Amino acid sequence: MLIKCIKAENMKLKHSCIWIACVAVPVIPAIMGTFNYLNNLGMLTEGWYSLWTQHTLFYSWLFYSPLIALYCSWLWRLEHLNHNWNVLMTAPVPVRDVFLGKLAVIFRVTLATQLWVGVLYFLCGKFCSLPGMMPGNTILWLLRGTLAAAGIGTLQLFLSMMIRSFAVPIGIALAGSILGFLFVSQGWELFWPYSLMMAGMNSNRSDDVLGGDILPFLISLTVFFVLFTAAAVLCLKKKDVRA
Amino acid sequence: MRTKQRLFWAEQKKMKRRFVWLVPIGFAALLMLWSMANIRNFTDADRAFGYAYLFYSYCVMNAIFMPVMLAVVASRLCDMEIKGNTWKLLYTMEKPGSFYDIKFFFECRYLVCFTAAETLGILLFGKLFGFTEPVQAGRFLLHFLAITAVGAVLLGIQHLLSLMSDNQIIPLLVGIAGGFLGLFSMYFPRIVNQLVIWGYFSIFSVAAVDWEKTANGGMALYYVDFPEVQFAVFLLAGAGLYLAERWIYLRKEV
């Protein structure tokens, strides 16, 4: 059933504007981060790692969560319009699979976004004449950032499901990201879903913020994932729809 | 006059239980929280430039907050017409131009609420945390006028996009991208900064940072002469842009 739900959700994505967001938004930090890097070569002396901070600092801190929120809002908007809630809830599939199907699609789009960020980082590195390949660490950090999307994606999918407005969950994501910086500055990044991206992508320093120990990060992700999925499925089961 | 009043009350009634006020209030609260986290560690030397610090840091924060906040406000107000497909019914009772203006006026109320809260917040923090820098009323007024004017121009863009797009992903995408561009453009030379409309918060900032002196110690802030001529040109260009947006909207088929 879950596979069928994922296929159905994938069909909804065809020819959608979501791909414009996925491609266009990462281009902005790539271009501007690269020129900022080239303008400050005197201070930014760590090559690929310095370029990494310029590309991902603002992206992971402020704009990654609203971008995921945008994907989630778009996916639920289809159900909020034209009485589609009635169709969705009468479909012969468990509500758990409906939610997880949407989550799988969000994860797929986020993975595509992160891959695009990686490609842009590599191309910009070559444009800046940086030697060799991009460091292996940065690939790991990209992967960790993608995993962090599982926590945020679940929360945002839950919010977009509950809030019928398209825009409000995106505003919440931005507010959450800004609060996330306060959590990171206190060293509490694993206790706030919106700061997991910054920790995962290691965007503000060249040495690993998680100290190479990924287990607490994964535990935190799992807790948020289970918590928000359970809340969403419970709401879908117990709450009457407003079609 | 009575028609304008009726339009106003019609929009007012649509706002019932929409909780749109929560958006500017929430963002203003977040801004205050952010400031408090920084100000509580101020030394006596920092307090001597406390207001300048807040004027500058709020310009950076506005570049991050405002594009998305304004996109949310505009989308929240315009989306009700798109979801309800109310155009045909609306235009039998209201002129499209008047409808466009009154909607924009309502969105501006939330903008002014936010910018006023921000400006008063600076004053309040100064008193609460004992800033030793003297209060210069003119600077506060210029800060308020500048951020409101830049916000209104951005709101005009979001307003048009929200009314024109059946799918609200485009206006929100522009809001997110605008925040990104505005923030990055601040770290570029002024000529590049001037090409990005979302970056005008820093161009009209009453305070700035001397990065050369900052590199050698604490943050070196100074007040800049407000570019009155450039601001007047910006206001005129903003008004022209609004009229162009209105013209585009009036050609939309319902």
Side-chain angles (χ1 to χ4, degrees):
Chain A
M1 279 301 175
L2 179 60
I3 302 293
K4 281 186 179 168
C5 286
I6 294 172
K7 278 183 183 168
E9 293 300 330
N10 274 333
M11 284 168 80
K12 293 176 191 172
L13 274 191
K14 270 190 182 168
H15 306 293
S16 92
C17 302
I18 217 169
W19 296 109
I20 300 174
C22 175
V23 172
V25 172
V27 172
I28 302 169
I31 293 175
M32 301 195 98
T34 302
F35 282 99
N36 206 24
Y37 169 74
L38 290 172
N39 279 339
N40 296 287
L41 281 173
M43 283 187 284
L44 303 169
T45 53
E46 291 183 72
W48 282 103
Y49 289 110
S50 295
L51 184 66
W52 175 259
T53 59
Q54 297 305 302
H55 270 225
T56 61
L57 180 59
F58 292 137
Y59 168 72
S60 66
W61 171 32
L62 291 168
F63 298 102
Y64 192 18
S65 308
L67 196 60
I68 293 174
L70 189 88
Y71 300 155
C72 295
S73 281
W74 189 88
L75 221 50
W76 274 112
R77 183 178 171 87
L78 300 173
E79 318 305 346
H80 289 312
L81 291 177
N82 302 323
H83 308 289
N84 280 350
W85 265 108
N86 290 336
V87 181
L88 187 77
M89 296 306 279
T90 49
V93 287
V95 285
R96 181 195 64 233
D97 290 352
V98 170
F99 187 81
L100 290 177
K102 284 188 187 292
L103 192 60
V105 168
I106 292 297
F107 201 67
R108 180 184 150 220
V109 182
T110 311
L111 184 65
T113 311
Q114 288 290 89
L115 280 174
W116 179 228
V117 169
V119 169
L120 286 170
Y121 171 61
F122 175 72
L123 292 176
C124 291
K126 287 292 142 196
F127 175 77
C128 298
S129 307
L130 290 174
M133 283 292 290
M134 55 202 257
N137 284 351
T138 56
I139 296 169
L140 175 72
W141 297 340
L142 269 174
L143 185 68
R144 283 195 329 209
T146 314
L147 287 176
I152 305 272
T154 321
L155 170 59
Q156 284 302 141
L157 210 54
F158 175 50
L159 288 174
S160 294
M161 183 185 91
M162 298 302 290
I163 303 169
R164 293 169 70 86
S165 161
F166 184 91
V168 170
I170 298 170
I172 294 174
L174 178 67
S177 302
I178 290 162
L179 275 176
F181 197 72
L182 296 178
F183 276 77
V184 170
S185 66
Q186 298 293 322
W188 301 338
E189 59 272 353
L190 299 181
F191 301 102
W192 182 245
Y194 294 101
S195 47
L196 286 176
M197 310 241 173
M198 213 172 168
M201 288 188 74
N202 207 50
S203 53
N204 59 344
R205 56 174 91 173
S206 52
D207 50 325
D208 194 348
V209 68
L210 296 175
D213 188 6
I214 200 170
L215 192 64
F217 177 75
L218 291 177
I219 291 171
S220 171
L221 267 180
T222 311
V223 169
F224 286 128
F225 174 78
V226 171
L227 187 71
F228 299 130
T229 305
V233 172
L234 196 69
C235 283
L236 278 173
K237 276 185 180 166
K238 301 282 178 199
K239 229 172 162 244
D240 200 7
V241 296
R242 284 195 298 143
Chain B
M1 194 61 199
R2 284 180 66 85
T3 317
K4 290 260 186 268
Q5 273 179 356
R6 273 205 294 269
L7 281 174
F8 180 88
W9 287 114
E11 282 304 317
Q12 186 68 38
K13 280 178 182 168
K14 288 182 201 171
M15 292 294 107
K16 253 190 175 177
R17 286 188 277 277
R18 304 291 296 183
F19 306 111
V20 186
W21 285 109
L22 285 179
V23 178
I25 290 172
F27 274 100
L30 197 61
L31 195 68
M32 305 295 160
L33 186 70
W34 179 270
S35 309
M36 275 170 69
N38 291 322
I39 298 172
R40 68 196 169 98
N41 300 321
F42 266 17
T43 60
D44 287 343
D46 294 327
R47 284 193 198 93
F49 289 96
Y51 292 120
Y53 170 81
L54 284 180
F55 283 134
Y56 175 76
S57 63
Y58 279 10
C59 279
V60 178
M61 294 306 282
N62 282 335
I64 300 167
F65 277 137
M66 280 246 214
V68 177
M69 187 191 81
L70 297 175
V72 172
V73 168
S75 172
R76 190 97 180 104
L77 266 73
C78 300
D79 198 28
M80 63 175 84
E81 314 296 352
I82 293 161
K83 267 187 184 166
N85 198 13
T86 58
W87 306 113
K88 282 193 174 70
L89 184 65
L90 262 177
Y91 292 168
T92 57
M93 295 180 285
E94 297 178 10
K95 284 183 182 163
S98 307
F99 165 75
Y100 187 86
D101 294 337
I102 199 80
K103 254 312 187 217
F104 183 70
F105 171 76
F106 264 74
E107 287 160 11
C108 280
R109 291 196 318 176
Y110 300 107
L111 168 68
V112 173
C113 159
F114 177 80
T115 53
E118 179 184 309
T119 311
L120 290 173
I122 297 175
L123 197 61
L124 186 71
F125 279 133
K127 298 294 167 201
L128 278 177
F129 290 91
F131 289 176
T132 47
E133 185 188 344
V135 174
Q136 300 176 59
R139 303 264 185 216
F140 280 82
L141 184 65
L142 284 175
H143 176 79
F144 172 72
L145 287 176
I147 58 172
T148 309
V150 178
V153 173
L154 297 184
L155 188 57
I157 296 170
Q158 293 299 149
H159 181 56
L160 176 72
L161 289 173
S162 290
L163 283 173
M164 296 294 280
S165 317
D166 286 342
N167 192 334
Q168 292 296 303
I169 197 168
I170 301 292
L172 267 298
L173 178 59
V174 169
I176 294 173
F180 236 141
L181 284 168
L183 185 61
F184 266 112
S185 68
M186 288 183 176
Y187 301 98
F188 278 79
R190 199 173 174 84
I191 187 76
V192 179
N193 198 178
Q194 284 174 336
L195 295 174
V196 180
I197 202 161
W198 294 271
Y200 270 75
F201 291 109
S202 67
I203 289 175
F204 297 131
S205 171
V206 294
V209 176
D210 187 335
W211 290 110
E212 284 181 15
K213 286 183 188 168
T214 296
N216 300 327
M219 203 179 205
L221 290 146
Y222 63 97
Y223 282 109
V224 290
D225 292 330
F226 192 74
E228 288 105 347
V229 178
Q230 197 180 5
F231 188 61
V233 172
F234 179 82
L235 287 179
L236 281 175
L241 188 63
Y242 179 78
L243 291 175
E245 289 157 356
R246 194 174 185 271
W247 182 83
I248 293 168
Y249 173 74
L250 293 181
R251 264 134 201 86
K252 183 191 177 193
E253 198 176 349
V254 295

